[in-house]
Amino acid sequence: MTSADMTDDATARRFRDSLIRQMTDDRYLSPKWRPAFERVPRHWFMPRLFLFTGGDRYTPLGSRADRDKWLSHVYDSDMCVTQLNGDDTAWDTAIAQGSVRGLPTCSSTEPGLMAWMLDDLGVTAGHRVLEIGTGTGYNAAILCEHLGAASITSIDVDAALVAEARTRLAGLGHCPLLVAGDGRDGYPGNAPYDRIIATCSLPRVPAAWIEQLRPGGQMIMNVSGLLGGAMLLLRKNDSGDGAQGRFTKRWAGFLPARGAPGVADITPRDTEDGRYDTGMTTLAPDVLNTPAFAFLAWLATQDARLYWADLDDGRRLTCLIGLDGSWCEIYPDDGGKRQVDQGGPRRLWHLTEQAHTFWAEHQHPDWSHFGVSMQGDDQRVWLEHPAQPTPWQLPREGQTR
Ligand SMILES: C[S@@+](CC[C@H](N)C(=O)[O-])C[C@H]1O[C@@H](n2cnc3c(N)ncnc32)[C@H](O)[C@@H]1O
């Protein structure tokens, strides 16, 4: 290690030991992964952090400013935001102004979550692993410690992050294959892989990942949209054709993969004849705050996102809008019923109501009761068992009109 603040001295090790004790007590860290987490200094991978201060504001915390404060955040059980807005200018602004507004584009995953993902994935000596989302390089370092760098390939869409991770990993003596590119395509150059781990989320499993897994190989990823999602553990069929798996009981969410269309690309649309539908609903939009139901609302409405709008009279509307311009607005409760206006090619609130009927009829299951079977282009979601298909497929990545 180079500068004094990055040294793995007794102070840094004391912070690390405390994190490892907590991860063990919380049953996130198994004896199998403990040595790798003990050996890899997390602080080496994140000399610069952004601390969330509310709204979309962050303050900078560097390794040199207040080393103990910085180490206490690095070795906290939480995730650490390490990049905003996809470049380094946010850091310079935050240092100059004391804080900055932004959207996280890279973070180091919660260590406990990293540990259980690796455990659930069944990563074992001799495995070749592809990681999607190199980020800081910390997870890649844990994998290198456990399996040896020759078994690890890691890809990130951000070439600057890849370059920095390469330097940091090399500083610890690890030289895995790091690639700059869109992780949706995986990396065929080192396939087949025994395991694939994704640390950014997508609404659907990229076909390339299943192609690049060996038969019987497994992958874990956060499948999610803007309303909900969960962690999916999939196994490629021994025949080499298709894959199957379940959503894990433990819930987690990841930063969305970059490269998808954003809200700025959406134009609300009316129905074909230039009008919109008005009706009434008994379903309270608050139900979207229930994580178990939000998972199904996401499957039913696919790329829809939630927002709120205030009327002139002070009343607040709950609204959904999809990338194809479909929208709905739900008015406040009026004696147990609410007005709903809907426009565009899909009736988003009708789809939400249908999902709610399904959810109620099946005793309000959470995501862990669902699984996915992949065959060709099909990514069919089932309840409890593949023989019990739901009406839903995993959503295709959004396309604006
Ligand atoms: C949660 S961070 C990764 C954490 C990382 N594994 C670590 O240990 O620091 C998510 C990463 O996914 C990357 N990412 C986002 N979209 C991507 C894409 N389309 N392809 C590959 N990587 C992507 C981001 O640049 C970011 O570095």
Side-chain angles (χ1 to χ4, degrees), residues 110-364:
E110 291 163 39
L113 168 56
M114 283 169 57
W116 76 250
M117 279 173 80
L118 294 167
D119 228 17
D120 273 24
L121 188 55
V123 178
T124 304
H127 278 166
R128 294 163 64 78
V129 179
L130 172 66
E131 180 193 33
I132 317 289
T134 312
T136 65
Y138 177 52
N139 197 40
I142 296 284
L143 283 164
C144 289
E145 279 287 337
H146 197 74
L147 300 177
S151 304
I152 312 302
T153 305
S154 182
I155 182 164
D156 201 292
V157 72
D158 186 324
L161 290 179
V162 171
E164 191 169 348
R166 185 175 288 122
T167 305
R168 300 220 161 265
L169 282 157
L172 296 181
H174 298 307
C175 298
L177 179 67
L178 299 189
V179 182
D182 191 341
R184 290 172 179 83
D185 303 328
Y187 184 72
N190 264 357
Y193 302 101
D194 297 281
R195 297 291 185 264
I196 296 180
I197 182 166
T199 59
C200 54
S201 73
L202 283 160
R204 190 176 175 84
V205 185
W209 298 2
I210 302 301
E211 275 159 28
Q212 291 167 29
L213 269 181
R214 70 158 171 77
Q218 300 201 121
M219 51 146 288
I220 192 163
M221 70 179 290
N222 179 222
V223 192
S224 85
L226 290 154
L227 293 187
M231 300 297 292
L232 179 64
L233 180 62
L234 267 188
R235 181 178 186 277
K236 182 166 174 169
N237 296 334
D238 292 328
S239 63
D241 187 21
Q244 198 154 282
R246 304 188 73 104
F247 290 94
T248 67
K249 185 87 196 150
R250 278 179 164 147
W251 186 91
F254 276 86
L255 294 176
R258 302 189 210 178
V263 71
D265 303 316
I266 302 178
T267 315
R269 292 170 73 186
D270 287 338
T271 47
E272 294 308 316
D273 57 0
R275 300 152 71 95
Y276 58 85
D277 293 349
T278 295
M280 299 299 282
T281 182
T282 53
L283 184 64
D286 292 356
V287 72
L288 292 170
N289 299 331
T290 306
F293 175 66
F295 175 80
L296 289 191
W298 157 60
L299 289 175
T301 62
Q302 311 239 316
D303 52 28
R305 61 200 69 205
L306 185 63
Y307 66 97
W308 294 267
D310 291 324
L311 294 171
D312 290 344
D313 62 10
R315 289 184 301 159
R316 177 154 268 218
L317 305 184
T318 305
C319 316
L320 292 174
I321 190 158
L323 288 175
D324 61 358
S326 300
W327 57 271
C328 64
E329 293 176 350
I330 302 108
Y331 284 68
D333 188 4
D334 183 11
K337 287 194 163 194
R338 297 150 195 87
Q339 181 181 329
V340 185
D341 296 342
Q342 305 185 75
R346 292 177 294 154
R347 298 290 173 274
L348 292 177
W349 198 249
H350 285 170
L351 294 169
T352 308
E353 288 175 319
Q354 283 164 7
H356 194 266
T357 303
F358 179 99
W359 191 56
E361 281 173 359
H362 292 90
Q363 287 77 50
H364 307 108

